[in-house]
Every structure is written in structure tokens, then in C-alpha cells.
Amino acid sequence: MNTANKITMVRVVLIPVFLVVLYLDFPYHIWVGLAVFLIASLSDFLDGYIARSRNMITDFGKFMDPIADKMLVTSAMCMFVAWGRMEAWMLLVVLTREFAVSAMRLVAASEGKVIAAAWSGKVKTASTMVCIILMLAVSIPVLDTLCCWVIVVTTVYSGVEYFVKNKDVINWADM
């Protein structure tokens, strides 16, 4: 297992640590959770940089890195829903987009096609990470609402863009 993949696996291990810290009620547990989330988020950029710069891109990394990202982000959003700081339907929008795009990529792969990450998907990921960090750092209802809407809008936009740009992947005539 190369360095980039080890960093990805550290991120996966940090996800349950993040959730346990947020569930436990001890002084500064939110700040500790924020620190864990920040480390996990930064590891996403670090493993990608290392994989590309050192030619360490592997099938395992292509598979596990996006799963780790989705697990980290959705675990934070599940906590926000549990705390009443995010509407459940907003989390459902995010999950639906992730499942739909992943399914489309699977269909494309079965046809020998690769769907590259779009710019809007990168914006969605970055804005979602920033919003989660803000929501962990500051509990202000107006900020929560703004962040949740930023997450939903960027998620929907990037999902629509993936389907529009790759409409040839799905044979809609089979319906």
C-alpha cells in the first residue's frame, strides 16, 4: 500500500473517531471534533496531491478516496440532522446526488467510459467542506441555514451538470 492510499485509510479511520467525539459530551468535544474533521479534510487534498505528483494513482485509491470523502461529509451532515441544525430532506438531496452520480459512473465504466470529475463537483466538495467546518466552529442558526443551502445548491447544480454532460451514458430509450 503506497503513501497516498495509507493517508486515505487514515481518513477512513478518523470518521468513526469524529462521530464518537461528537456524540460524547465532554468539554470542548465540538472543538476536538472540528480538529478531527479538519485533519481528515486536509488528508483528502494531501493524498490526492501525493498520488498525482509521485505517480501513485492506483485503482484502490480511485475507489476508496471518493468513498472516504462521502463517508466523512455525510457523517457530519447526519450529526447536523440529529442536532436539528440541518433538515433531513437536505441530507437526502446530497445522498441522492451521490448515489446517482456513482451509479452513472458504474454504468459508464461497464461501457469502458470514464467520467472525469467536473469543476462543479470540485466546487461542491470544497464548499461543502468549508460549510461543515463553519457549522462545527460556530452554531448560529442563520449561518447553519446559509451553509445548508450552499451545500444543497452546489450539490444539485453539480449533479445536474454530471447528467447533462454525460447524457449519452444512459440509454434513455430503454425506459
Side-chain angles (χ1 to χ4, degrees):
M1 185 174 289
N2 67 35
T3 304
N5 290 341
K6 287 177 184 174
I7 293 170
T8 298
M9 292 311 298
V10 167
R11 185 164 65 258
V12 170
V13 169
L14 286 175
I15 294 164
V17 172
F18 168 68
L19 286 172
V20 167
V21 165
L22 292 182
Y23 270 112
L24 296 177
D25 190 15
F26 62 90
Y28 309 111
H29 74 282
I30 298 294
W31 292 107
V32 175
L34 174 60
V36 173
F37 187 87
L38 280 168
I39 291 166
S41 297
L42 292 173
S43 76
D44 180 29
F45 296 105
L46 181 61
D47 66 11
Y49 172 77
I50 288 172
R52 287 185 298 277
S53 68
R54 298 184 185 169
N55 199 24
M56 292 182 173
I57 297 171
T58 64
D59 288 339
F60 177 82
K62 290 179 197 174
F63 169 76
M64 201 64 215
D65 183 68
I67 290 175
D69 297 343
K70 288 166 184 40
M71 289 168 53
L72 178 64
V73 167
T74 56
S75 66
M77 287 189 227
C78 285
M79 288 303 302
F80 292 138
V81 169
W83 292 339
R85 294 179 58 196
M86 176 181 244
E87 297 293 328
W89 70 264
M90 293 175 153
L91 174 57
L92 181 61
V93 166
V94 172
L95 291 172
T96 300
R97 182 257 187 218
E98 297 305 339
F99 284 124
V101 169
S102 295
M104 184 175 59
R105 283 190 164 143
L106 284 173
V107 170
S110 73
E111 297 172 2
K113 299 175 186 174
V114 175
I115 298 176
W119 181 83
S120 66
K122 294 178 187 296
V123 169
K124 175 207 59 99
T125 299
S127 62
T128 298
M129 295 285 196
V130 168
C131 284
I132 290 170
I133 290 165
L134 287 171
M135 290 174 72
L136 286 169
V138 184
S139 181
I140 301 172
V142 173
L143 180 64
D144 287 352
T145 300
L146 177 65
C147 284
C148 289
W149 278 106
V150 166
I151 291 168
V152 167
V153 168
T154 58
T155 295
V156 169
Y157 180 86
S158 68
V160 168
E161 182 184 55
Y162 270 104
F163 276 90
V164 168
K165 284 187 172 182
N166 300 287
K167 61 183 174 268
D168 61 314
V169 170
I170 307 279
N171 184 355
W172 299 101
D174 288 345
M175 291 178 62

